[in-house]
Amino acid sequence: DTVIPLGAGPEKSLAATKSYLASLAAIAQLVAHWKDDPVLLAALDTLPQALRDAWQQDWSPLTDGLVDARNLFVLGRGLGLGAAQEAALKFKETCGLHAEAYSSAEVKHGPMALVGAGFPVLILAQPDETEAGTLALAEEFRARGAQVWLASPHGNLPVAAAPHPASAPLLAVQSFYRAINALSLRRGFSPDAPPHLNKVTETV
């Protein structure tokens, strides 16, 4: 019933990258105003620069490491789980790479059985109360011989400083988008024309 313009201009990417980030930013603004949260409101004022900083982060180790991969896990937790799900989707549609997203709190219940020597895992850590458990999980995976990429100040993928924990997923995804574009090209795909996908999806 209510339309909230994103004000981001037309979405030209078939993978809908700009509209995804703009939607998250709009949701964050709604939450900040609904809660009358001055800390989050102030953080949102600095989000554009933080996103520019995120674009400059070097995630080329992830790109280099996944050129010949066939599958991987993407892990996040709490506010970061949605970012992990978005990353897994982009691996599939732009790189032809099978990726599954899980909560880092739940991956041990069954999927953990697949993680062994050389298994690729991308972990997006959140700068909040979930961080310690996520970092511990990354160490556990490394001890198993897994190939781990950890997006964190404590990891091997650098992240832009988040002005608020709620903005961290946007910054992680922004850095990821640059890496996934490069990976798509390295794997022989066109990120602008994913196979079998159309700009408009019709359902009956």
Side-chain angles (χ1 to χ4, degrees), residues 77 104-105 108 123-140 142 150-154:
R77 187 172 178 184
S104 59
K108 290 187 176 185
I123 301 176
L124 308 177
Q126 271 287 119
D128 55 25
E129 65 277 4
T130 68
E131 184 178 47
T134 301
L135 297 180
L137 181 67
E139 285 304 313
E140 185 174 347
R142 284 196 187 99
L150 174 62
S152 163
H154 311 285

Side-chain angles (χ1 to χ4, degrees), residues 22-143:
S23 296
L24 289 189
I27 291 169
Q29 291 179 60
L30 285 174
V31 170
H33 285 285
W34 281 335
K35 292 181 65 181
D36 193 21
D37 185 336
V39 176
L40 182 53
L41 285 167
L44 289 171
D45 287 338
T46 64
L47 182 58
Q49 182 57 51
L51 284 165
R52 285 189 283 271
D53 293 342
W55 186 256
Q56 298 304 319
Q57 303 305 308
D58 181 12
W59 283 28
S60 57
L62 178 71
T63 301
D64 295 340
L66 292 176
V67 171
D68 297 318
R70 300 185 64 183
N71 51 64
L72 78 152
F73 285 168
V74 186
L75 307 181
R77 187 172 178 184
L79 294 176
L81 178 57
Q85 293 170 327
E86 167 68 358
L89 177 62
K90 292 298 179 281
F91 277 123
K92 294 169 188 171
E93 67 183 359
T94 68
C95 298
L97 176 53
H98 181 244
E100 294 295 332
Y102 292 100
S103 164
S104 59
E106 299 173 355
V107 71
K108 290 187 176 185
H109 291 296
M112 187 84 158
L114 294 176
V115 179
F119 191 92
V121 183
L122 170 59
I123 301 176
L124 308 177
Q126 271 287 119
D128 55 25
E129 65 277 4
T130 68
E131 184 178 47
T134 301
L135 297 180
L137 181 67
E139 285 304 313
E140 185 174 347
F141 279 157
R142 284 196 187 99

Side-chain angles (χ1 to χ4, degrees), residues 152-178:
S152 163
H154 311 285
N156 51 2
L157 295 179
V159 292
H164 190 282
S167 65
L170 285 83
L171 304 183
V173 169
Q174 173 82 322
S175 299
F176 171 78
Y177 280 159
R178 184 171 183 174

Side-chain angles (χ1 to χ4, degrees), residues 7-25:
E11 176 59 272
K12 297 180 180 180
S13 169
L14 193 61
T17 49
K18 180 171 67 173
S19 53
Y20 178 81
L21 287 176
S23 296
L24 289 189

